Amino acid sequence: MPALLRMLLTVTALLLATPPAPAATSAATPAPLRCGRYVNAQNDTALVIDSQSRGRRLATGFDPESLQIQRDGNGLVLVNLDDGVATALTASADGRRINDTLQDYQLRAPADCQPVAVNAAGSCLADANRCMARLHAATPPQLLTACQQGVGAACSGLLLSYVDDALLAAASAKGVALATAAPAPCTTDAEREEVLTCRDARRDALAAAVAQASGQAFARGIDPAWVELPAAQRDQLQQLCLQQRAGRFCTEVAEQQLNARDPRAAVQALQVVCDSGRYSACERVEPLQALGAALRLVDATEPPCGLYRADGGTIDAVVFGDDGHATIGSQRSQVRLLDGAIHLRNDHGSDHVLRLLANGDLLGMDAWTGYQRYQRQPGTTQCAASEGPRTSLR
């Protein structure tokens, strides 16, 4: 037998006798993540991995977001505890790049990992991905429990459930026919996004109907939660904000306190947002805290007159004439008094709302002027002794 043929047969025999190597899996178990600060070079958004189970997303102009990292089969899932959205999380082989489905991040500042948190069995955080998928069907007591465990999305869900109840009560008190004012109640057996979309549409429709019945203007999608909540619910939400320190939720609580004409509580909740690192909240808090005892609202009995200016904000100046009109930029609006508040119709079809503070300043109450402190500028606008026509609705 030729030597070459003998060598080929020997090699073939060895190959047949050798067990085949296992096939490579399509998704191997992920290696532990490297902890530290990852940054998206395009927009400076940062993803901070604190441990193998927790992280944070930081973006300029937005509230910090609390994140939970958990395994799902052979992959990782990043669960946003503040908005309830879960996305896949992948890492490069060297661990220096990660992707949360929405953005790519590169490791800029490695850090030692903190210990992995141990969550109580059966708690929302024990399986946050599954909990978030079911949160839209949770009852208020279940939402309260999850909120107390540190799930900001559950805190927000509890607040919105109170808003929905308050809107229904307000609609009933105003004689609004629900059959024509709002879509049918949303079912909880649909997909999460379908339920949330349905609830947003129903909330907007109810808020618009109640606002119309109350003689107020309402802009869809801008201020659906303007309705005032009962004091006991607001107190509960305030305490949850102070305990959980969730920026997004505390922003929502502050809005409710402002709606209820309690600026002190609103500033207290907004201070939590400032402490979390949102500079815009700090800009609003500081001028109001400086008011001290004057940080309380009184009913306006007549429209203001003169130039009022705020330090920053979307609308930084309002000129009130003595003819029952006001000017914001190039827009001229009729001034109305409604339940002690000063209303100015804007280009969006809703109202700018200002209220009088105890020291004579004005406090912004709507989506554009909210928390802004407007101070009258002396010597800039002359107001006649006899005032022109004014509209008062009480």
Side-chain angles (χ1 to χ4, degrees), residues 367-379:
W368 293 272
T369 67
Y371 309 104
Q372 293 295 131
R373 174 187 172 187
Y374 292 87
Q375 297 176 278
R376 191 177 190 281
Q377 306 300 300

Side-chain angles (χ1 to χ4, degrees), residues 38 144 365:
Y38 295 76
L144 174 59
M365 304 290 290

Side-chain angles (χ1 to χ4, degrees), residues 34-39 95-97 105-111:
R34 297 182 65 173
C35 292
R37 185 184 185 92
Y38 295 76
V39 177
R96 299 192 65 83
R97 298 184 306 280
Y105 303 86
Q106 290 188 336
L107 183 61
R108 292 282 181 82

Side-chain angles (χ1 to χ4, degrees), residues 192-240:
R192 174 181 181 272
E193 291 305 319
E194 293 179 6
V195 173
L196 296 182
T197 299
C198 174
R199 287 179 178 171
D200 286 345
R202 181 174 170 80
R203 193 174 297 120
D204 272 353
L206 272 176
V210 172
Q212 183 177 9
S214 305
Q216 301 185 43
F218 172 81
R220 176 176 296 276
I222 293 174
D223 45 9
W226 63 269
V227 66
E228 183 176 336
L229 299 181
Q233 291 181 348
R234 287 189 287 107
D235 289 344
Q236 180 195 48
L237 295 170
Q238 186 82 1
Q239 291 306 309
L240 289 171

Side-chain angles (χ1 to χ4, degrees), residues 56-143:
R56 294 164 287 146
R57 184 184 285 112
L58 309 174
T60 303
F62 294 89
D63 296 315
E65 297 173 336
S66 297
L67 309 171
Q68 176 145 319
I69 306 162
Q70 65 181 79
R71 295 191 182 277
D72 181 23
N74 290 327
L76 292 175
V77 175
L78 193 67
V79 183
N80 189 319
L81 298 179
D82 291 314
D83 66 12
V85 175
T87 57
L89 180 66
T90 57
S92 62
D94 61 3
R96 299 192 65 83
R97 298 184 306 280
I98 57 178
N99 178 280
D100 65 356
T101 305
L102 303 174
Q103 302 186 71
D104 289 307
Y105 303 86
Q106 290 188 336
L107 183 61
R108 292 282 181 82
D112 293 335
C113 288
Q114 300 173 9
V116 174
V118 178
N119 300 304
S123 68
C124 184
L125 292 178
D127 188 349
N129 190 22
R130 185 180 183 187
C131 178
M132 294 304 163
R134 299 182 173 184
L135 208 59
H136 66 278
T139 63
Q142 291 171 329
L143 291 169

